[in-house]
Amino acid sequence: KKSIERVIMVIESLFITILECAQLISADISGTSDPYVIVSFNGQSRKTKVYFKTLEPVFNETFEFKNIGGESEEDLKKQFVVFEALDADVLSKHDYLGTVVLPLSVIYDPVRDEGKRRK
């Protein structure tokens, strides 16, 4: 009989820190925006707090995404993290400022990051 070995990679948590946004577009009549960021991964979303009247917000907020992983390293490479910047408005729909989509492999590479996992 041939035995088949199968490696299952499970990452319990992924921590993502939103540092800042730069050169955002003005969405308000005042020439500024009230930006916040929604970060989404693997069906989960987190939102930063809103910073008022700025085009250069410094968030420095860390979010934990739990229960992530895949059957293989290839599964992980196929996943993406989406960062969406929006302008908060009180009386109308929030304005779109921009989106960045990053493959998880840009943020986490099991070979490069071996031994750097949080304990």
CSV table of all heavy atoms in Angstrom, one decimal, residues 27-28 33-36 47 50-52 86-95 97:
chain,number,residue,atom,x,y,z
A,27,ALA,N,-13.7,64.7,-0.7
A,27,ALA,CA,-15.0,64.3,-1.0
A,27,ALA,C,-16.0,65.3,-0.4
A,27,ALA,O,-17.2,65.2,-0.7
A,27,ALA,CB,-15.3,62.9,-0.4
A,28,ASP,N,-15.6,66.2,0.4
A,28,ASP,CA,-16.5,67.1,1.1
A,28,ASP,C,-16.3,68.5,0.5
A,28,ASP,O,-15.2,68.9,0.0
A,28,ASP,CB,-16.2,67.2,2.6
A,28,ASP,CG,-16.6,65.9,3.3
A,28,ASP,OD1,-17.4,65.1,2.7
A,28,ASP,OD2,-16.0,65.6,4.4
A,33,SER,N,-11.9,65.3,3.6
A,33,SER,CA,-12.7,64.1,3.7
A,33,SER,C,-12.8,63.7,5.2
A,33,SER,O,-12.0,64.2,6.0
A,33,SER,CB,-12.2,63.0,2.9
A,33,SER,OG,-12.3,63.2,1.5
A,34,ASP,N,-13.7,62.8,5.5
A,34,ASP,CA,-13.8,62.2,6.8
A,34,ASP,C,-13.6,60.7,6.6
A,34,ASP,O,-14.5,59.9,6.6
A,34,ASP,CB,-15.2,62.5,7.4
A,34,ASP,CG,-15.5,64.0,7.5
A,34,ASP,OD1,-14.6,64.8,7.8
A,34,ASP,OD2,-16.7,64.4,7.2
A,35,PRO,N,-12.3,60.3,6.4
A,35,PRO,CA,-12.0,59.0,5.9
A,35,PRO,C,-12.0,57.9,7.0
A,35,PRO,O,-11.8,58.2,8.2
A,35,PRO,CB,-10.6,59.1,5.3
A,35,PRO,CG,-10.0,60.2,6.1
A,35,PRO,CD,-11.1,61.2,6.4
A,36,TYR,N,-12.4,56.7,6.6
A,36,TYR,CA,-12.2,55.5,7.4
A,36,TYR,C,-11.9,54.4,6.4
A,36,TYR,O,-12.1,54.5,5.2
A,36,TYR,CB,-13.4,55.2,8.2
A,36,TYR,CG,-14.7,54.9,7.5
A,36,TYR,CD1,-15.1,53.6,7.2
A,36,TYR,CD2,-15.5,55.9,7.0
A,36,TYR,CE1,-16.2,53.3,6.5
A,36,TYR,CE2,-16.7,55.6,6.3
A,36,TYR,CZ,-17.1,54.3,6.1
A,36,TYR,OH,-18.2,54.0,5.4
A,47,LYS,N,-13.6,47.7,10.6
A,47,LYS,CA,-13.6,49.1,10.2
A,47,LYS,C,-12.8,49.9,11.2
A,47,LYS,O,-13.0,49.7,12.4
A,47,LYS,CB,-15.1,49.5,10.2
A,47,LYS,CG,-15.3,50.9,9.8
A,47,LYS,CD,-16.8,51.3,10.0
A,47,LYS,CE,-17.0,52.7,10.3
A,47,LYS,NZ,-18.3,53.1,10.7
A,50,VAL,N,-13.4,56.8,12.2
A,50,VAL,CA,-13.4,57.9,11.3
A,50,VAL,C,-12.5,59.0,11.8
A,50,VAL,O,-12.6,59.4,12.9
A,50,VAL,CB,-14.9,58.4,11.1
A,50,VAL,CG1,-14.9,59.7,10.2
A,50,VAL,CG2,-15.8,57.3,10.6
A,51,TYR,N,-11.8,59.6,10.8
A,51,TYR,CA,-11.0,60.8,11.1
A,51,TYR,C,-11.5,61.9,10.4
A,51,TYR,O,-11.7,61.9,9.1
A,51,TYR,CB,-9.5,60.6,10.8
A,51,TYR,CG,-8.8,59.7,11.8
A,51,TYR,CD1,-8.9,58.3,11.8
A,51,TYR,CD2,-8.0,60.3,12.8
A,51,TYR,CE1,-8.3,57.5,12.8
A,51,TYR,CE2,-7.4,59.5,13.7
A,51,TYR,CZ,-7.6,58.1,13.7
A,51,TYR,OH,-6.9,57.4,14.7
A,52,PHE,N,-11.9,63.0,11.0
A,52,PHE,CA,-12.6,64.1,10.4
A,52,PHE,C,-11.7,65.2,9.8
A,52,PHE,O,-10.6,65.5,10.3
A,52,PHE,CB,-13.5,64.8,11.5
A,52,PHE,CG,-14.6,63.8,11.9
A,52,PHE,CD1,-14.4,63.1,13.1
A,52,PHE,CD2,-15.8,63.6,11.2
A,52,PHE,CE1,-15.4,62.2,13.5
A,52,PHE,CE2,-16.7,62.7,11.6
A,52,PHE,CZ,-16.6,62.0,12.7
A,86,LEU,N,-13.3,55.0,2.5
A,86,LEU,CA,-14.6,55.7,2.3
A,86,LEU,C,-14.6,57.0,3.1
A,86,LEU,O,-13.9,57.2,4.1
A,86,LEU,CB,-15.8,54.8,2.8
A,86,LEU,CG,-15.9,53.5,2.1
A,86,LEU,CD1,-16.6,52.5,2.9
A,86,LEU,CD2,-16.7,53.8,0.8
A,87,ASP,N,-15.5,57.9,2.7
A,87,ASP,CA,-15.7,59.2,3.4
A,87,ASP,C,-17.0,59.1,4.1
A,87,ASP,O,-18.0,58.9,3.5
A,87,ASP,CB,-15.7,60.4,2.3
A,87,ASP,CG,-16.2,61.7,2.9
A,87,ASP,OD1,-15.5,62.2,3.9
A,87,ASP,OD2,-17.2,62.2,2.5
A,88,ALA,N,-17.0,59.3,5.4
A,88,ALA,CA,-18.2,59.3,6.2
A,88,ALA,C,-19.0,60.5,6.0
A,88,ALA,O,-18.5,61.7,6.0
A,88,ALA,CB,-17.8,59.1,7.7
A,89,ASP,N,-20.3,60.3,5.8
A,89,ASP,CA,-21.3,61.5,5.6
A,89,ASP,C,-22.4,61.2,6.6
A,89,ASP,O,-22.9,60.0,6.7
A,89,ASP,CB,-21.8,61.6,4.2
A,89,ASP,CG,-20.7,62.1,3.3
A,89,ASP,OD1,-20.0,63.1,3.7
A,89,ASP,OD2,-20.6,61.7,2.1
A,90,VAL,N,-22.9,62.2,7.2
A,90,VAL,CA,-24.0,62.1,8.2
A,90,VAL,C,-25.4,61.9,7.5
A,90,VAL,O,-26.2,61.1,7.8
A,90,VAL,CB,-24.1,63.3,9.1
A,90,VAL,CG1,-25.3,63.2,10.1
A,90,VAL,CG2,-22.8,63.3,9.9
A,91,LEU,N,-25.6,62.8,6.5
A,91,LEU,CA,-27.0,62.9,5.9
A,91,LEU,C,-27.1,62.2,4.5
A,91,LEU,O,-28.2,62.2,3.9
A,91,LEU,CB,-27.4,64.3,5.7
A,91,LEU,CG,-27.5,65.1,7.0
A,91,LEU,CD1,-27.8,66.6,6.8
A,91,LEU,CD2,-28.5,64.5,8.0
A,92,SER,N,-26.0,61.6,4.0
A,92,SER,CA,-26.1,61.0,2.7
A,92,SER,C,-25.2,59.7,2.7
A,92,SER,O,-24.5,59.4,3.7
A,92,SER,CB,-25.6,61.9,1.6
A,92,SER,OG,-24.2,62.3,1.8
A,93,LYS,N,-25.2,59.0,1.6
A,93,LYS,CA,-24.4,57.8,1.4
A,93,LYS,C,-22.9,58.1,1.5
A,93,LYS,O,-22.5,59.2,1.0
A,93,LYS,CB,-24.7,57.2,0.0
A,93,LYS,CG,-24.1,55.9,-0.2
A,93,LYS,CD,-24.5,55.4,-1.6
A,93,LYS,CE,-23.6,54.1,-1.9
A,93,LYS,NZ,-23.7,53.7,-3.3
A,94,HIS,N,-22.2,57.3,2.1
A,94,HIS,CA,-20.8,57.5,2.3
A,94,HIS,C,-20.1,57.5,0.9
A,94,HIS,O,-20.5,56.7,0.1
A,94,HIS,CB,-20.1,56.4,3.2
A,94,HIS,CG,-20.7,56.5,4.6
A,94,HIS,ND1,-20.0,56.0,5.7
A,94,HIS,CD2,-21.8,57.1,5.1
A,94,HIS,CE1,-20.6,56.3,6.8
A,94,HIS,NE2,-21.7,56.9,6.5
A,95,ASP,N,-19.1,58.3,0.7
A,95,ASP,CA,-18.5,58.5,-0.6
A,95,ASP,C,-17.3,57.5,-0.7
A,95,ASP,O,-16.5,57.3,0.3
A,95,ASP,CB,-17.9,59.9,-0.8
A,95,ASP,CG,-19.0,60.9,-0.8
A,95,ASP,OD1,-20.0,60.7,-1.5
A,95,ASP,OD2,-18.9,61.9,0.0
A,97,LEU,N,-13.6,56.4,-1.8
A,97,LEU,CA,-12.4,57.1,-2.0
A,97,LEU,C,-11.3,56.2,-2.7
A,97,LEU,O,-10.4,56.8,-3.3
A,97,LEU,CB,-11.8,57.6,-0.6
A,97,LEU,CG,-12.6,58.6,0.2
A,97,LEU,CD1,-12.0,58.8,1.5
A,97,LEU,CD2,-12.8,59.8,-0.6
